Amino acid sequence: MTGPAPENQVRAALDKASDEMLFIGPDHPYYPLLAELVSAVGNSWQQGYEHGRRGGPHTNPYAWTGAGG
């Protein structure tokens, strides 16, 4: 049996973080950081997804490349 698809894991993590934001509230010291991370990860995932849908050259445009390229 396999786990959920990677995009579902990302969406689940974003939903969980959004729920945490409701729990801790905007006056919590980590709220701005959590909000920024939720937004950045969501946007990055969407960009990667759209890149793949358009037939981009690599399945992960954010893949780490070493000194050798």
Side-chain angles (χ1 to χ4, degrees):
M1 186 151 158
T2 61
E7 61 270 12
N8 293 339
Q9 291 174 337
V10 170
R11 180 57 51 202
L14 291 175
D15 290 343
K16 183 177 178 181
S18 294
D19 290 344
E20 282 296 314
M21 290 174 62
L22 293 175
F23 177 72
I24 65 175
D27 57 341
H28 191 279
Y30 289 136
Y31 187 88
L33 175 61
L34 187 55
E36 187 175 337
L37 288 171
V38 168
S39 178
V41 169
N43 291 340
S44 295
W45 177 83
Q46 189 65 45
Q47 289 172 3
Y49 178 79
E50 292 298 326
H51 176 79
R53 286 188 62 193
R54 289 190 302 267
H58 194 284
T59 57
N60 181 4
Y62 302 102
W64 179 265
T65 56

